[in-house]
C-alpha cells in the first residue's frame, strides 16, 4: 500500500509542473520539452534532437498551413537533392564566404572516395539556381516561383537549443525569379504578408519585420528583411526572413533570358525561409504558462480530451457508456478527440493533458450523465473560472465558440506581452537601464549602412545588444537626433535587443 | 510568317508524343518525364534528380494519403535526425554488413574533422532503436508505433532511373515494438492491408505480396514481405516491404522492459517502408498511355482544365466571360481547376494538358455558350468517344460521376495488364519460352530456405530471372512436383521475374 502511494506520487510529479515562465525561462522550457514529450536531446549526435510525436504532429499541421499559403500565392512545390557539389558553392563569393564555416561535407560513400566533395545543403540557392538557368529561356518562363519543405544542416558553433537552434532543422525555402526588379520587390512584400497571415494570424505569434543592417544580411543578398519576436526571457528570436537577391545570383549562375530585342537580361530574384521547427519553439514559449504548453486550437494534436469521473462503483458502466457516446458525437464534428480511459486518476489525467496544452477538457461524472450535460474546462483559465456545464445538444456550437474565444485570448496575451516588452531609449544610460526590463528598445542610431557597424559592435561588446535594424512598416525617421553611441547625426531609429 | 509557322510546329512537337509504352518503354518513360516536366536529370550530382512541380505536387498528395492511413492504424509521426553515428551501425551485425557498402559518410564540417564519422541515413533502425531503448521502460509504453516521412540516401552502384532508383529517395518508414511476437506478426499483416488500401485502392497499382527467400531478406530481419508490381517492359518493381525483425534489433539495442515478475523481456519489432517516390514512378508507368501520363483523379495536380475555343472574333468576350463563370462554379465544388487563357492554340493546349494527365478537359466555344452547356472530354478515351455535352447545372453531379468512372477504368486496365503478364511454367524449357512474353512466372522450386540459393543463382545467371519468393496470400503448395532446376522435391511454388 505504501509502495503504491509512493509510486502514484512519483508518477504524479513526473507530469505536474508549476514553473514561472518569466522568472525561470530555461527551467520552464527544458521541463516542458520533457514533460509534454516534445523532443529528446539524448540522441547521440551533438546538436541534433529527436522530435517526438506530440511536437511532430503540430509541426506537420504547421507545414500544411504554410504550404497552402504559399500555393495560394502562386508558389509551386519542388524537391531538390540535399547534396550540393562544392563547385556550386564557389560560384557566388559572398555566399560561399558566409556559409563555408557551417557546411557538413560528404566525401566518402561505401568504401569509395567521391570524385567531388558534396555539401549537405545549408540552404538551396546554389542547388536551385543552376537549374533555374536551364528552366528559364524566355520571358514566358517567368515569373518562376517554387518552394520546398525540407531540412537543412548547419554546423552551429553557438549553443544549440531544441527547436530554436540545432544542427539539423526543418524549414520551407521559397525561391523566385522575375523579369523586373519591381516584381522582386513586390515579392518581398508578399512574403511579409504571408508571414503576417500564417505566423501571426494562425500561429498567434506577434513580430516586427526589420530591414537588417548592412553587416547582418543574408550572404549574397542586396537586402534582408526578418521578423523578430520576443521570448519570455526578453531575448529576440528571428522568425522568417526574406531576401532581395537582386541580380547577384542570376549573374553568377547565368539565369537569364533573351528580351524582345534579342538582348540577354538577367532575372531579379528573392528567397524566403520560414523555419517551421523554430516557429514551433516560439509558439511553445509564447503561449505556454506555468502548467505547460498551449497552442492555437487548430494546431493542437488533440483538440478535446474526455475524462470519465468514476466515483461511485455502481454508476461506472453508465458513465462509461455516456462517455463513449459523447466521444462519438464530438469526433463526428471533426475534432481530434481522445477519451482517456487509462487507469490513472482524474487528477493525473488533468495534468497529463494540461502540460500538453489540449485546449478543451470534458469531464463526465454521474451528475453530468443524469443531467444530459458535460462539464467543459478550458486549458488557459484558472481552476475556478474554467468550468462550464453544457448540454450535449449544444456541444457543437459551444465548442466552436469556445475554440474561437480560446484563440482570441491566446492572441491578446501574446500581443500584450510583446508590446509590454518594447520601449525606447535616448541615451546610453537610459538604454543600459531599460535593457534590464525590456526586450526590443528603439534608439536613435547613426546608420544601418556599413559605416554604422562600429557603433553596433560597441553595443554588442558592452551590453550584449544586437542592432536588429529599422522597422519595415511605419518606420519613423529621427529628426535632429544624435546617435546614442557616436553622437553623430542619427539617420535611423533602430531596434536593439539581446539574442540567443 | 514562315518563321512563325516553324516556331508553332516546333513548340507543338515539344509537347506532343505518340510512343507505344509496351514497345518502347524506355523511350516512352524518358519522353514523358521530360514533356510532362516531372523530373530533371541534369542536376549535377550523379544519381540524384530534381523533382519538378507537377510530380512534387502528386508526391505530396500521396504522402498525405499514406500518412492518414498510418495514423488511422495507430502510428504517430516522429522526426529523427538524418545523421547517424557510425557506432550505431556497428551494433547489429547483419544490418551493418548489408548497408555499409551503400552509406554516404560525413566526416568534416566547416574546416573541422568531426570526432565521429556520421552516416546519412540509408534507413533509420539504428537511429531509432537506441531511443526506443530509452522510451520503453514498462509494458505501459507498449505498443510503440511511429513513422517518419523523410528521404534516405543509398550509394547505388546499379544504374539509376528517375523515381525508380536514385541515390536520394523519398519514403515513409514505420517502426514498431510490441510485447509479444503475435502482435508483431499482426502488425506485418496490418502493413500489408495498409498497402492494399493505399497502393491498390487509392493509387490503383496492382501487386502481389511475396515472402522473400532467405537470401533476399532485409539485413537484420527474420522475415521480409514485399509487394511486387510489373512495369510495361515486364520487369518487376518492388513496392512497399514489411519486415518481421523479431528480437534481433531489440537484443542488440537493449530495447526491453521488466515484466510483472521483474524479469527483463525484449520487445518484438517490425518495420515497414513504402517508398513514395518509387510508387509515383510505378503509377506513371502503369496508368500512362501513348499520349502521356495518367493518374487516379484525386492525385492529379489539376483535376479539370477549361479551354476556351475562340473562333469567331465577335463572340470572344462572351466566351471568355462564360469560361470565367464556369471556372468559378467548378472551383467552388472543390476541384483543382485551371482556365488556360494562354495564347497557344486549342490543339497545343489539348496536348499540353493530356501529356500531364489532367483527367477532365472542358471545352467552351460559341455553341456551348449559346446552349448553356460545356463539352467534357475524358483523358483516357479516344478522340471520338471522349466528348460529352453537359449542361452547366448538371456539372457537379456529372464530374463526380465521371471522376469515379475514370478511376474505375484506370483500375480495370491496370488489373487486366498485371494479370495478363502472369503465367506458370513446369520445366526449364517452358520457363525460358514464357520469359519472353510474361512478367511473373510461377514455377515449382526446391526451397526458399538458404539451401535454395544455388538454384536461384542458376536462374539468375542463365536467364536473368530473380526468385521473388512465395505468394503470401492464397499460396498454393506443389504436390509431388520437382524443382525445375535441381529436380529435387519442390517444396514451394515461387514466382520468378526480371528486375531492374
Amino acid at each position: 500500500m505504501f509502495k503504491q502511494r509512493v509510486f502514484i506520487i512519483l508518477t504524479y510529479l513526473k507530469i505536474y509542473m508549476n514553473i514561472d515562465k518569466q522568472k525561470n525561462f530555461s527551467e520552464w522550457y527544458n521541463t516542458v520539452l520533457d514533460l509534454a514529450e516534445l523532443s529528446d536531446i539524448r540522441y547521440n549526435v551533438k546538436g541534433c534532437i529527436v522530435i517526438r510525436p506530440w511536437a511532430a504532429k503540430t509541426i506537420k499541421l504547421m507545414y500544411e498551413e504554410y504550404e497552402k499559403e504559399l500555393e495560394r500565392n502562386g508558389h509551386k512545390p519542388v524537391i531538390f537533392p540535399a547534396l550540393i557539389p562544392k563547385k556550386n558553392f564557389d560560384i557566388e563569393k559572398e555566399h560561399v564566404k558566409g556559409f563555408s564555416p557551417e557546411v557538413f561535407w560528404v566525401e566518402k560513400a561505401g568504401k569509395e572516395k567521391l570524385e567531388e566533395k558534396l555539401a549537405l545543403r545549408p540552404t538551396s540557392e546554389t542547388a536551385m539556381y543552376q537549374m533555374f538557368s536551364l528552366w528559364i529561356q524566355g520571358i514566358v518562363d517567368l515569373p518562376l516561383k517554387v518552394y520546398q519543405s525540407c531540412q537543412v544542416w548547419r554546423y552551429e558553433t553557438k549553443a544549440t537549443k531544441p527547436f530554436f537552434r540545432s544542427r539539423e532543422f526543418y524549414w520551407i525555402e521559397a525561391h523566385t525569379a522575375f523579369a523586373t526588379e519591381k516584381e522582386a520587390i513586390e515579392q518581398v512584400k508578399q512574403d511579409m504578408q504571408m508571414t503576417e497571415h500564417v505566423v501571426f494570424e494562425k500561429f498567434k505569434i506577434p513580430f516586427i519585420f526589420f530591414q537588417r543592417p548592412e553587416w547582418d544580411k543574408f550572404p549574397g543578398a542586396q537586402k534582408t528583411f526578418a521578423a523578430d519576436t520576443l521570448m519570455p526571457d526578453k531575448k529576440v528570436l528571428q522568425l522568417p526572413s526574406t531576401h532581395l537577391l537582386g541580380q547577384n545570383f542570376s549573374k553568377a549562375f547565368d539565369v537569364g533570358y533573351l528580351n524582345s530585342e534579342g538582348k540577354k537580361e538577367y532575372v531579379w530574384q528573392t528567397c524566403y525561409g520560414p523555419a517551421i521547427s523554430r516557429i514551433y519553439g516560439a509558439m511553445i514559449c509564447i503561449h505556454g504558462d506555468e502548467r505547460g504548453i498551449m497552442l492555437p486550437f487548430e494546431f493542437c494534436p488533440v483538440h478535446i480530451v474526455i475524462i470519465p469521473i468514476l466515483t461511485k462503483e455502481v454508476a461506472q458502466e453508465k458513465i462509461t457508456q455516456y462517455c463513449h457516446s459523447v466521444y462519438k458525437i464530438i469526433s463526428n464534428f471533426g475534432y481530434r478527440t481522445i477519451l482517456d480511459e487509462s487507469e490513472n486518476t482524474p487528477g493525473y489525467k488533468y495534468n497529463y493533458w494540461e502540460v500538453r496544452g489540449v485546449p478543451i477538457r470534458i469531464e463526465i461524472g454521474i451528475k453530468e450523465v443524469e443531467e444530459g450535460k458535460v462539464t467543459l474546462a478550458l486549458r488557459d483559465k484558472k481552476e475556478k473560472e474554467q468550468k462550464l456545464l453544457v448540454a450535449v445538444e449544444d456541444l457543437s456550437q459551444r465548442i466552436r465558440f469556445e475554440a474561437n474565444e480560446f484563440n482570441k485570448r491566446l492572441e491578446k496575451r501574446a500581443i500584450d506581452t510583446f508590446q509590454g516588452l518594447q520601449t525606447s531609449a535616448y541615451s546610453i544610460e537610459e538604454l543600459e537601464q531599460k535593457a534590464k526590463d525590456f526586450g526590443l528598445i528603439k534608439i536613435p542610431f547613426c546608420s544601418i549602412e556599413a559605416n554604422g557597424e562600429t557603433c553596433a559592435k560597441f553595443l554588442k561588446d558592452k551590453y550584449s545588444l544586437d542592432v536588429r535594424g529599422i522597422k519595415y512598416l511605419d518606420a519613423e525617421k529621427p529628426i535632429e537626433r544624435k546617435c546614442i553611441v557616436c553622437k553623430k547625426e542619427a539617420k535611423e531609429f533602430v531596434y536593439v535587443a539581446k539574442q540567443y
Side-chain angles (χ1 to χ4, degrees), chain A:
Chain A
M1 191 64 193
F2 170 73
K3 259 172 96 178
Q4 204 186 344
R5 267 203 209 146
V6 169
F7 180 73
I8 290 171
I9 293 167
L10 282 176
T11 53
Y12 191 76
L13 283 177
K14 256 177 71 181
I15 54 129
Y16 181 68
M17 68 181 277
N18 184 12
I19 303 172
D20 188 311
K21 189 172 74 165
Q22 265 74 30
K23 284 190 194 144
N24 302 298
F25 175 57
S26 234
E27 190 196 348
W28 180 88
Y29 191 55
N30 292 332
T31 307
V32 105
L33 293 179
D34 223 36
L35 283 190
E37 296 184 344
L38 306 181
S39 66
D40 201 316
I41 56 168
R42 293 170 293 178
Y43 187 80
N44 61 350
V45 172
K46 204 179 155 190
C48 292
I49 61 158
V50 175
I51 300 180
R52 301 186 70 176
W54 198 260
K57 179 71 186 174
T58 295
I59 287 174
K60 201 175 272 298
L61 295 166
M62 293 169 73
Y63 262 111
E64 281 170 22
E65 190 67 46
Y66 233 119
E67 291 171 356
K68 261 193 286 175
E69 178 74 13
L70 283 156
E71 295 195 18
R72 259 196 300 270
N73 284 279
H75 284 83
K76 291 184 174 155
V78 286
I79 305 173
F80 269 75
L83 297 169
I84 306 176
K86 182 177 181 304
K87 64 169 170 282
N88 294 29
F89 269 93
D90 297 340
I91 291 174
E92 214 290 334
K93 63 181 189 307
E94 288 298 318
H95 193 75
V96 67
K97 207 168 75 186
F99 279 104
S100 284
E102 296 192 355
V103 171
F104 284 93
W105 294 106
V106 181
E107 295 176 71
K108 267 189 214 155
K111 284 192 187 327
E112 286 173 39
K113 194 169 180 320
L114 297 175
E115 282 167 33
E116 183 173 20
K117 239 170 125 166
L118 303 173
L120 278 183
R121 66 170 162 243
T123 175
S124 296
E125 284 75 11
T126 61
M128 288 190 177
Y129 299 165
Q130 59 169 340
M131 301 311 294
F132 280 23
S133 154
L134 298 168
W135 295 344
I136 297 167
Q137 299 293 331
I139 189 103
V140 293
D141 301 315
L142 295 172
L144 182 64
K145 293 172 69 163
V146 297
Y147 78 88
Q148 76 173 343
S149 295
C150 64
Q151 83 277 64
V152 289
W153 296 264
R154 294 181 189 173
Y155 186 62
E156 288 286 351
T157 45
K158 290 187 190 173
T160 56
K161 192 180 176 82
F163 301 113
F164 281 38
R165 180 184 290 121
S166 52
R167 289 186 174 172
E168 180 173 7
F169 66 90
Y170 306 89
W171 79 346
I172 298 175
E173 46 182 323
H175 297 263
T176 68
F178 297 94
T180 62
E181 183 176 21
K182 193 166 159 260
E183 288 167 285
I185 292 170
E186 282 305 312
Q187 182 59 52
V188 163
K189 288 183 195 161
Q190 194 185 64
D191 294 345
M192 293 187 198
Q193 276 158 14
M194 288 193 283
T195 312
E196 180 79 14
H197 291 160
V198 182
V199 178
F200 176 64
E201 288 170 21
K202 298 289 178 180
F203 305 156
K204 311 293 181 198
I205 299 174
F207 58 79
I208 298 174
F209 251 110
F210 293 108
Q211 181 186 336
R212 290 279 187 252
E214 197 57 27
W215 56 89
D216 194 20
K217 291 185 317 186
F218 176 77
Q222 275 185 351
K223 282 184 188 175
T224 284
F225 303 88
D228 280 340
T229 190
L230 286 169
M231 290 296 96
D233 59 358
K234 308 183 200 80
K235 287 185 182 168
V236 275
L237 186 71
Q238 174 171 315
L239 296 178
S241 53
T242 168
H243 314 287
L244 190 66
L245 301 178
Q247 295 183 313
N248 288 350
F249 284 90
S250 66
K251 285 179 179 163
F253 284 88
D254 193 26
V255 188
Y257 62 96
L258 295 181
N259 66 17
S260 53
E261 286 139 34
K263 217 189 107 204
K264 174 99 171 203
E265 302 264 12
Y266 291 101
V267 299
W268 297 83
Q269 295 191 267
T270 73
C271 62
Y272 172 53
I276 305 296
S277 48
R278 174 179 277 199
I279 302 173
Y280 176 76
M283 200 155 79
I284 293 303
C285 295
I286 286 173
H287 302 310
D289 68 4
E290 73 288 352
R291 288 182 283 152
I293 73 167
M294 279 193 261
L295 297 163
F297 191 80
E298 296 75 10
F299 299 97
C300 200
V302 173
H303 294 126
I304 297 162
V305 58
I306 302 171
I307 296 176
I309 316 290
L310 304 168
T311 38
K312 289 182 197 163
E313 283 287 328
V314 283
Q316 292 207 352
E317 200 177 324
K318 230 174 169 181
I319 295 174
T320 302
Q321 268 180 11
Y322 189 82
C323 283
H324 279 269
S325 76
V326 171
Y327 170 80
K328 222 169 181 177
I329 290 167
I330 297 179
S331 301
N332 283 341
F333 296 154
Y335 297 112
R336 293 185 289 272
T337 311
I338 279 189
L339 167 56
D340 185 348
E341 295 191 284
S342 66
E343 298 204 340
N344 300 307
T345 63
Y348 179 95
K349 292 177 188 177
Y350 291 179
N351 288 322
Y352 183 90
W353 297 108
E354 275 185 354
V355 79
R356 283 164 178 75
V358 173
I360 296 177
R361 177 176 80 222
I362 285 178
E363 300 166 14
I364 295 174
I366 187 64
K367 193 186 89 185
E368 282 82 0
V369 176
E370 282 164 0
E371 297 180 15
K373 296 188 173 167
V374 304
T375 293
L376 222 109
L378 299 161
R379 167 62 181 85
D380 66 324
K381 294 211 170 174
K382 296 269 169 290
E383 188 65 32
K384 281 179 187 165
E385 59 192 50
Q386 73 175 179
K387 297 197 181 184
L388 304 158
L389 206 59
V390 179
V392 171
E393 60 269 27
D394 298 337
L395 265 178
S396 165
Q397 211 186 329
R398 192 58 187 247
I399 291 170
R400 201 165 48 234
F401 173 80
E402 293 297 344
N404 198 26
E405 291 295 308
F406 174 84
N407 277 354
K408 277 194 214 162
R409 291 193 301 271
L410 229 63
E411 184 178 308
K412 185 170 184 318
R413 277 194 300 269
I415 294 174
D416 289 348
T417 307
F418 187 56
Q419 289 178 342
L421 290 172
Q422 294 172 41
T423 188
S424 49
Y426 293 91
S427 70
I428 279 285
E429 296 71 32
E430 194 184 354
L431 177 65
E432 190 176 1
Q433 189 54 36
K434 287 190 168 169
K436 290 173 199 157
D437 299 317
F438 291 90
L440 275 163
I441 306 171
K442 186 174 82 171
I443 57 168
F445 193 75
C446 51
S447 168
I448 61 163
E449 299 301 314
N451 58 359
E453 193 172 0
T454 321
C455 290
K457 212 175 164 311
F458 173 83
L459 293 176
K460 176 76 175 177
D461 292 343
K462 188 130 189 216
Y463 307 107
S464 303
L465 290 168
D466 272 275
V467 173
R468 309 302 286 178
I470 55 172
K471 243 188 184 173
Y472 178 73
L473 288 171
D474 315 315
E476 296 168 74
K477 284 280 177 189
I479 298 165
E480 293 187 21
R481 294 261 184 202
K482 303 290 175 207
C483 169
I484 66 167
V485 184
C486 67
K487 316 287 186 206
K488 283 183 197 151
E489 188 206 343
K491 282 198 194 137
E492 315 284 359
F493 276 120
V494 300
Y495 283 73
V496 298
K498 291 187 178 120
Q499 70 167 8
Y500 288 100

